Amino acid sequence: MEVSFAMTGKGYVLLAADTTAVHSIIKVKTDVDKIKELSPHLLMAYSGEPGDTVQFAEYVERNIRLYQIRHTYPLRPPSAASWIRRSLAESLRSRNPYSVNLLLGGYDTSTYTPHLYWMDYLGTLVEVPFAAHGYGSYFALSLLDRYHDPEATVEEGLAVLRRCLDEVSKRLVVSPGKYKVKIVDKDGIREVEL
Amino acid sequence: MSIMQYNGGSVIAMVGKDCVAIASDLRLGVQSLSISSNFEKIFPVTDRLYIGLPGLASDVTTLREQFRYRVNMYTIKEEREIEPQAFAQLVSSTLYEKRFGPYFIEPVIAGMQKTPSGSYAPFIAATDLIGCLNFAKDFVVAGTASEKLFGVAEGLWEPDLEAEDLFETISQTLLNAVDRDAFSGWGAIVHVITKDKIVILSSSAFISPGLGLAS
């Protein structure tokens, strides 16, 4: 069962997603990267219907890249979020809609602010201080209500993230074993080992 | 559960003496799980015209963008701002265009309408999800707390309220109705529009006692 979290901190956004690929009741892979790097300062964690997820993520990735090639500068996080939302909203009322849920984290290099967006397959878009998708949200959101601090340092942010992952491991019946954690800040994107 | 209740949220508009008010809650949820306590559903159309869009959150954004586009086109072509009456018709036709695959939104419109004599008169209207217009002289409600809003508004509203009193009336109506609805709440926002284009925007998060959860 897929789990993904994200939160903002002082000048950064943290994203975490599990790394398991499931087929029926079988774990077929445990090292899948479900967080795409859309541009130098933009990350997207995706989950949902297998097949749709990768297809849609790559579609978004190529279009964001195309914009950057055409205009020299990449789309800023709010604009990228709006474009992706529109793609999903149009897809929803098409013959076969994408069932993809997203967390979009980015650092706006023009205003020096981190942005985090929660988006679902219906095309619902909202900017949030922290977010989660999947069964993990039932545990993580209440923890984050209590412990999230938008002014937290990276170390403090990772400690709160650790709490969320531990709680999921402890209480969720079929919890994922491994997570990939990525961070985006003024210096760009990097992966973090927990 | 109906798609209209999926994300939750409510909007109300009221008429006062030479003023109108429109207010909404700020919750966005997925069924009973709250995702955000800062999801605005009321948007400015002109300086003295606002629209509230309760319903499916995806369509809130889609319709907001759609109306912005159509109002901009109207402004360019007509070389004047759109009046509330005309905008209500635009909303109605936009929704009826999708009669057999509708947007899941029940818009509420509030503004000051220019009269032939050059003064301004309060205007409110609401439609259902396929654009059936309802022009009211007192108040209009929509969203998951609409039944409760009707009840409280029926008890509190009176004719010819001044802007300050209208603000108090609409705020108390919204807050008390929303407290009895599990799908609405988590902060509120009120806009009061007066004739001289002045918009008192009394903002966000006066969260009702005992619900101090929202961050």
Side-chain angles (χ1 to χ4, degrees), chain B residues 202-214:
Chain B
S202 157
S203 138
S204 88
F206 40 95
I207 293 161
S208 40
L211 280 176
L213 294 161

Side-chain angles (χ1 to χ4, degrees), chain A residues 82 85-86 89 92-93 118 120-130 132 137-138 141 145, chain B residues 6-7 28 30 33-36 38-39 56-59 61-62 65 101-104 213 215:
Chain A
S82 290
R85 189 208 81 84
R86 181 158 274 253
L92 183 72
R93 286 187 161 90
W118 181 95
D120 72 4
Y121 72 100
L122 297 167
T124 313
L125 174 68
V126 63
E127 188 167 8
V128 284
F130 52 81
S137 60
Y138 293 97
L141 289 182
D145 273 330
Chain B
Y6 184 76
N7 296 118
L28 176 128
V30 171
L33 176 69
S34 295
I35 300 295
S36 173
N38 197 213
F39 185 76
L56 186 70
S58 175
D59 290 344
T61 317
T62 305
E65 287 170 3
Y103 292 115
F104 298 100
L213 294 161
S215 53

Side-chain angles (χ1 to χ4, degrees), chain B residues 119-142:
Chain B
S119 61
Y120 291 101
F123 174 94
I124 56 164
T127 91
D128 65 4
L129 77 171
I130 53 168
C132 175
L133 278 164
N134 162 28
F135 302 107
K137 289 192 188 71
D138 43 10
F139 52 82
V140 284
V141 300

